[in-house]
Amino acid sequence: MKLLRLAALAATLAGLVAAPAVADTIKVGVIGPLSGPFGIFGKNFKAGIDAYQAKAGKTVKGHTVEFVYRDLEAIDPAKAKALAQELIVKERVQYLAGAYFTPDALAIATVIDQGKTPFVVMNAATSSITQKSPLVSRSSFTMWQITVPAAKAAIEEGAKRMVVAVSDYGPGLDAEAAFRKTFEAEGGTVTDSIRMPVRTTDFGPIMQRVKDTKADAVFAFLPSGPPTLAFVKAFIDNGLKAAGIKLITTGDLTMEPDLPALGEAGLGIISTYGYATSHDSPENKAFLADLAKVGLPEKEVVMTAVAAYDGARLLYRMIEATDGKQDPAKAMDAIKGYAWESPRGPVSIDPKTRHIRQNIYKRVVEKRDGAYINREIKAYPDQPDFGLMQ
Ligand code: PHB
């Protein structure tokens, strides 16, 4: 009797082993601005992810990968935290991704350790975010990474006395520190440092202050979106450009969809960034074609599409290494040191900082075939996150 039961049990177990694997779904929660004034950046997150899935397929080792989106229109850390918790607890996501603004990324990072949820930052650019948890990585860029080259570009362009103007929060303060340190080390002088409230849209008084300091150039950073367009327009409309003052910025201020609104007056602005839609490579041409196929025309493409596309690649690699199981240590190990060819050029994940290393390009706004572009004129190769090295 006993033997029979054992035999039956053995048969059942053998059946279980032989049974085809039940298809499972690995969920990834994506938090970002899908609507509102910054909606274009969330739309780019989604298009970048869709383009990656269209290329790589929707399954990894038999596990279906499903992206679940939550809209976070503006800076709102309390809501970011609540959304992250809801995604982990109710939606049972194994991974989190997205985060346009730094305060939101920092809030999300406070809840991921409980759920053991690796988090791929796809925009927020303050260096310290990855220090909040060993489970944070970043596929976008950091302010230090793009601003050290901006200060070098300023010197190359002959600037000697510069005003620094930044938004008064995490990434702005990183940009200010990175610019000042590099520019002064190369022999430049910062004549004034202006911190602008994040919600300011009236830049007239700031432009007057710049004129008063008799600087020969301005370095500026604001979060990409309506504030950046307003700032650059104010620079032009208040006659600073006409007075021969140069504007040198991070690429956040010269995103391609805004260039038509600046028109001829925007020509000649120098910026530094990891990605331009005009980047000349077969990978970028294929990427732009794939984005168009998932509904994002080239004229709407911004940096967050490429950060999400590369971020999706990191998520797939983690899912593959863990065979779909929740093993955050193994998942993180799988991306450390990983190198690949991105639409922006060669990139890798720095094993120490978990930040993406990439070429940063000096670009100039130009008109080509009737369209305004950021033309890459020089590469600063394989830039790390200088911020964590200070
Ligand atoms: C940020 O909040 O970290 C941030 C937002 C927009 C940018 C860059 C950085 O363009």
Side-chain angles (χ1 to χ4, degrees), residues 85-241:
Q85 273 165 333
E86 185 255 329
L87 284 164
I88 293 171
V89 176
K90 290 216 189 97
E91 285 284 345
R92 301 196 169 280
V93 300
Q94 259 192 41
Y95 299 88
L96 281 170
Y100 186 67
F101 292 107
T102 287
D104 302 328
L106 289 172
I108 295 167
T110 62
V111 299
I112 60 171
D113 278 342
Q114 304 158 12
K116 308 262 173 283
T117 316
F119 171 29
V120 180
V121 176
M122 292 178 168
N123 188 68
T126 305
S127 287
S128 62
I129 298 168
T130 50
Q131 300 301 98
K132 300 297 168 199
S133 160
L135 301 186
V136 183
S137 61
R138 175 157 26 205
S139 61
S140 49
F141 60 92
T142 74
M143 293 317 302
W144 272 90
Q145 186 179 44
I146 60 177
T147 305
V148 167
K152 291 184 180 158
I155 295 283
E156 290 159 17
E157 295 299 309
K160 294 193 172 57
R161 292 164 46 80
M162 283 190 73
V163 172
V164 173
V166 297
S167 287
D168 192 5
Y169 80 120
L173 305 188
D174 271 11
E176 180 188 61
F179 193 87
R180 183 185 277 278
K181 185 164 186 218
T182 314
F183 190 61
E184 289 180 348
E186 307 250 349
T189 306
V190 174
T191 57
D192 196 4
S193 215
I194 304 173
R195 293 183 182 176
M196 307 172 278
V198 182
R199 283 181 181 80
T200 297
T201 50
D202 176 12
F203 298 106
I206 288 163
M207 297 305 158
Q208 190 53 50
R209 195 166 145 186
V210 171
K211 276 190 202 159
D212 292 347
T213 64
K214 307 229 178 315
D216 46 28
V218 175
F219 166 76
F221 164 77
L222 298 90
S224 209
T228 45
L229 181 59
F231 182 92
V232 180
K233 271 183 138 335
F235 183 88
I236 294 163
D237 296 347
N238 285 273
L240 279 76
K241 185 166 191 248

